[in-house]
Structure formats: C-alpha cells, structure tokens
Amino acid sequence: MNEEIHDEGAWTPLVRAKGVFKRFSSKAETLEVLRGVGFEIPRKRTCSIIGASGSGKSTLLALMGGLERIDSGILEIGTYKLHELREKDLPQYRSRFVGFVFQFHYLLKDFTALENVALPAFMTGLSKKESWEKAQTLLEKVGLGDRMGHFPSELSGGERQRTAIARAIVNDPSLVLADEPTGNLDQVNARSIAELLLELPHITGATVVLATHDSNFASQADLRFSLADGRIATL
Ligand SMILES: Nc1ncnc2c1ncn2[C@@H]1O[C@H](COP(=O)(O)OP(=O)(O)OP(=O)(O)O)[C@@H](O)[C@H]1O
Ligand SMILES: [Mg+2]
C-alpha cells in the first residue's frame, strides 16, 4: 500500500483535474487536443474514457502518467501536483505511483513471464528473493500460475497481456493506466482481460483508468467519461 494513501484521507479523490489544456505545436499548426478539461476520479475505482480516434484519450493518459506535461490548468494525483512537478521528478512519480498497460504488451522477449514481472520490483530495490516471490504471487493472481517459466513467444495474446498487467502492478501503483488494453485481443481474451482490469481495485486497491474503443467494456467501469472536441463529459 502506498504511503500517499495514508497521507491524504481515503475520502479525497485520487485524481483531480481542472482547466487542463494540452496543445501540440508544429511549424505548420497548433493542435489543441484538450481545451479546459476537468474531472475527479475517486480512489479504488475504475474509470473509462471513450472517444473517437484522435480525441485525446492517449494524451490524457500520458498526462496522468507523467509522460507528457499539461500546458495549463491543474492536475493533482495523490499528493503529486503534476502541473508543478519538476521534469526531473517525473520518473520518480511514474515509478512510485503509476502502472502502465498498453495495447502492445512490451514484454522483454528474452525473459520469462516470471522474470518480466519480477524485474521492475528488483530494480526498485527489493531483494531478488522478494521480487521473484512477489512476481509469482501476482502471476498466480492473474491466472498464470502454470505459465511462469514461459517466454513471451510461448504465451497466447491473452496470457501476454495478463503478464503485462502483473508487471504493471508489481510495485503497488496507486494508479493503473491502461491504453486500449484489449485492442489486440480476440473477443474471448478481451473479455477476460477486461474483467481482470475491472477487478483490480479489489485485488490491489489501485485506481484503474482505461481508454478503450470497446463500449461494452467502457460501460462496466464505475465512472465513465467521453472525450470530444477537447472537452470531457461524464456518461
Ligand atoms: N506528440 C504529439 N505531437 C503532435 N501531435 C500529437 C502528439 N500526440 C498526439 N498528437 C495528436 O493529438 C491528437 C490526440 O491523439 P491521441 O493519441 O491522444 O488520440 P486517441 O484518442 O488516443 O486516439 P486513438 O483512439 O486513435 O488511440 C491526435 O490528433 C494526434 O495526432
Ligand atoms: Mg490512443
């Protein structure tokens, strides 16, 4: 459990955004992707973001994950004020607070499922024994107890995505950001990965924010947002 959860009351929202603007500028033009976006996401809940391609879903997740900076407005996540945080402090925010799941799994091909999950824990200072044990427990929790020694090439698409989810939660992030996590999967695997992500708050206590084109998946989240024309609406 993260210390941030104890610092702030469990009743305060985990994510608070107010008047968030995000622009991408090139020589030819400035594209205003987010135009004054405001919302709150409570702790230990699931939240979905839908919207047409190019509406800014990935951009919004990247801002919450500290991969991109907002241009103006307020973005507070836990005790972190991302609008004020110095560039050099962002990696620490990301590694302590956030777990990422993407459409493509980005598992290391020369490492087993167990090693892929254990490595981020080991890199943040856990002993080898603790890291490997934690990875084992998590892989069992995501239903891969009998696949731990397999390399990514020996896993199915759904199993790879389960491994990626176990890796995303190994350092106990308060926030899990999932960008089209079922985008590459067939219907059956997509449904079971969706179920796993929707269950995560009960398994780890994390808040899950997911961007998806799957309206059925999105509709099952506790909180549902839609992005269009740079604005956010609650569904
Ligand atoms: N680094 C960047 N530089 C310039 N423009 C960008 C950058 N990242 C995103 N954009 C633009 O911002 C807009 C929003 O992109 P974003 O990837 O957030 O959309 P999305 O809703 O995730 O779309 P999709 O459903 O296709 O994944 C798009 O028009 C995109 O081209
Ligand atoms: Mg996207």
Side-chain angles (χ1 to χ4, degrees):
M1 187 67 62
N2 267 297
E3 66 197 39
E4 281 82 0
I5 287 172
H6 300 293
D7 283 348
E8 281 196 80
W11 56 88
T12 59
L14 184 79
V15 181
R16 274 175 292 207
K18 211 173 161 182
V20 168
F21 279 75
K22 180 64 185 174
R23 304 173 191 94
F24 291 110
S25 298
S26 65
K27 264 190 196 152
E29 54 162 17
T30 294
L31 182 69
E32 206 163 47
V33 179
L34 302 178
R35 306 176 186 176
V37 163
F39 59 90
E40 291 189 347
I41 305 173
R43 290 165 194 274
K44 304 186 185 190
R45 293 288 188 278
T46 54
C47 169
S48 62
I49 305 169
I50 58 165
S53 182
S55 60
K57 302 179 298 295
S58 297
T59 302
L60 188 53
L61 291 187
L63 294 169
M64 286 193 260
L67 295 166
E68 291 274 358
R69 308 305 304 264
I70 66 173
D71 290 313
S72 57
I74 287 174
L75 183 56
E76 295 178 352
I77 302 189
T79 54
Y80 291 89
K81 296 184 192 316
L82 294 189
H83 50 287
E84 288 176 2
L85 211 63
R86 287 168 302 183
E87 196 75 30
K88 72 177 184 60
D89 294 327
L90 284 174
Q92 193 201 56
Y93 160 72
R94 289 197 295 266
S95 67
R96 286 208 182 158
F97 213 78
V98 189
F100 293 96
V101 180
F102 299 99
Q103 183 168 354
F104 182 72
H105 55 77
Y106 297 110
L107 296 171
L108 302 169
K109 67 178 176 50
D110 297 326
F111 292 86
T112 64
L114 184 63
E115 289 163 344
N116 266 285
V117 178
L119 279 171
F122 185 59
M123 279 169 354
T124 55
L126 233 59
S127 71
K128 180 159 187 208
K129 183 166 181 285
E130 284 171 319
S131 312
W132 261 245
E133 280 173 4
K134 197 164 181 194
Q136 198 171 337
T137 307
L138 284 178
L139 282 166
E140 278 161 8
K141 274 194 184 154
V142 301
L144 285 182
D146 56 351
R147 293 282 189 280
M148 294 195 231
H150 290 228
F151 291 93
S153 61
E154 301 167 341
L155 296 169
S156 73
E159 289 167 346
R160 279 180 214 142
Q161 204 57 323
R162 283 174 188 278
T163 308
I165 292 170
R167 179 188 53 184
I169 59 179
V170 74
N171 286 329
D172 298 318
S174 295
L175 181 62
V176 172
L177 300 172
D179 197 354
E180 311 271 5
T182 59
N184 271 337
L185 303 175
D186 63 74
Q187 227 177 5
V188 173
N189 275 306
R191 193 171 308 136
S192 74
I193 289 298
E195 277 168 19
L196 175 59
L197 284 167
L198 292 167
E199 268 302 301
L200 266 195
H202 305 291
I203 301 172
T204 72
T207 297
V208 177
V209 183
L210 53 100
T212 181
H213 284 285
D214 179 341
S215 53
N216 182 40
F217 179 16
S219 71
Q220 293 173 61
D222 299 320
L223 202 67
R224 297 163 299 277
F225 293 136
S226 146
L227 271 178
D229 302 322
R231 306 268 181 188
I232 202 162
T234 307
L235 298 175

